[in-house]
Amino acid sequence: MTAAERETAEETPPPAPLGKDLVGLEGLPGDTIRMILDTAEPFKEISERPIKKVPVLRGKTIVNLFFEPSTRTRISFEFAEKRLGADTVNINSVGSSVSKGESLVDTARNLEAMRIDMVVIRHGSSGAARFLADRIPSNVINAGDGRHEHPTQALLDMLTMRDRLGRIEGLRVCIVGDIVHSRVARSNIFGLRALGAEVGVCGPRSLVPVGIEDLGVRVFGHVDEAIEWADVLNVLRLQLERMDAGFIPSLREYNRVFGVTRVRLEQAPREVVVLHPGPMNRGVEIDSDVADGPQSVILPQVTNGVAVRMAVLYLLAGGRPELAEDAKRGSGG
Amino acid sequence: MTADKEPRDLLDAAGVEQALGRLADDIIAAGDTDDLLLVGIRRRGVELAERLAALVAARTGQSVDQGRLDITLYRDDFAQIGSRPLIGTTEIPGDITDRRVVIVDDVLYTGRTIRAALNEIADFGRPARIELCVLVDRGGRELPIQADFVGVESEVPPGSHVEVRVPSEDGELGVRIRSGAERGGAG
């Protein structure tokens, strides 16, 4: 240890540990989530520099393993990785050995044999990220697994709320849309509750999980009620295939009861900030007037996504050999 | 405990004020201050840069631009350290190309912090000239880096700690030296 290291070690208290992986926000203490959001702050500035790159992950190799189509999450991770100086490889399920029936673990072990350091995984099955994290020594970041979690999306949502409103604690946040199939909703609920927000959900009864009140969440059956209550609406994308599956009668009917419109927001007792994780169905869950209006923070969400992912990569990268050993022995939780 | 384990004062508040006044004079004497930018290295270099900027401004009648730099992401030992240090925000005002940049830090020791700062500044542009101003030069360099402006030179053995104290961080102004033994002899 050099003197310079000792000086830093003495001056800055070590942050609460994040561990080897980020699989979900469930069970993460509020302090750890706050630490991630605080770490994202200085990373915002890096994307504003003439040379948008710092050398902190120089020499690290990161694989973006996407078993489901994704544009913005994958690109956001890739920007974050590249701006930290890492080398990245993208693997999409279409046209790769994954589509030839190779198992998830075999794919990952082959990647590890090529000496990678981190895996960012998007997968259609709930629990896929945890499954992988327990079996390989590399750091694993969940970029969305089935209906389980999408932690970096919830983190960027919370960072954006905090930027706009100055706090999370005590805020009333209502998630609007298809709650039952949504990993974004789950991660938001866990994260927001841990930071002391009040959380509501609003959607058709067929798309709101039974018993969600037990998580301390309020349920609204009409978007007007949600707007009257909330400081923030986090409007989810309506997966159009839900209609074919009979969860909702029609898009028009959905828009009539749950669509966030300018006229509705004007009835609110206070200014309501509107988020959307994208991609939007304009005219279905959100009107263009709202999406492009002054209450929308949809584009700041995208900007913050890169900073939050940089923070998570920074906090997880390297330096945890003891955990890697555990994973090799297959003893991970 | 024995007297040699007590922290020893290298400079008191008046001594620091005096040293900063001299440094401001030296910076003015060494070149044009029209395009001067003082960049403080977090954390204690930031307040020192603020004080120097005020002193230079008082002497020249021109305001002096300031920036602040957090070099954590440019450290050369990043892969070796286990915990992830908290990062402060880097703020560099405007374009630094063709300006006169003076890096301000509290203590010059191994030179590794300054190496990191030089790399970081290069990512913001190409200054006409970069100089280095430190309050204390304690010797012990591990890289070929020297300061242009030095408040006080004092050879301090490895294992001892030079503590620059500034009001914004420590509630007082001063410099003191702690011997390594007081810190349990580790490292």
Side-chain angles (χ1 to χ4, degrees), chain A residues 76-118:
Chain A
S76 180
F77 266 109
E78 206 176 339
F79 275 137
E81 293 155 3
K82 290 189 160 143
R83 287 175 189 175
L84 295 178
D87 296 308
T88 65
V89 176
N90 295 318
I91 299 175
N92 300 313
S93 54
V94 181
S96 72
S97 57
V98 172
S99 58
K100 297 174 192 163
E102 188 176 60
S103 79
L104 175 56
V105 165
D106 281 339
T107 302
R109 286 191 178 140
N110 275 279
L111 292 167
E112 293 241 301
M114 291 183 247
R115 302 293 176 258
I116 59 165
D117 299 292
M118 303 180 95

Side-chain angles (χ1 to χ4, degrees), chain A residues 222-239:
Chain A
H222 195 291
V223 74
D224 286 338
E225 298 164 23
I227 287 171
E228 197 186 328
W229 175 79
D231 300 302
V232 178
L233 294 182
N234 198 348
V235 185
L236 302 177
R237 171 181 170 79
L238 183 71
Q239 307 285 342

Side-chain angles (χ1 to χ4, degrees), chain A residues 132-148:
Chain A
L132 188 65
D134 288 347
R135 281 162 185 81
I136 62 171
S138 299
N139 307 105
V140 173
I141 299 176
N142 184 5
D145 62 332
R147 301 181 191 181
H148 175 232

Side-chain angles (χ1 to χ4, degrees), chain B residues 101-155:
Chain B
V101 173
V102 176
I103 297 172
V104 181
D105 203 3
D106 55 351
V107 180
L108 178 58
Y109 182 20
T110 62
R112 289 176 192 271
T113 298
I114 305 305
R115 196 281 311 160
L118 289 169
N119 285 21
E120 183 158 18
I121 287 172
D123 285 350
F124 285 89
R126 186 177 183 275
R129 176 174 167 194
I130 303 178
E131 295 159 303
L132 174 60
C133 173
V134 296
L135 184 59
V136 182
D137 180 349
R138 62 170 287 184
R141 221 74 80 235
E142 295 171 0
L143 293 173
I145 282 170
Q146 305 303 335
D148 300 276
F149 313 107
V150 177
V152 55
E153 278 183 60
S154 176
E155 196 70 28

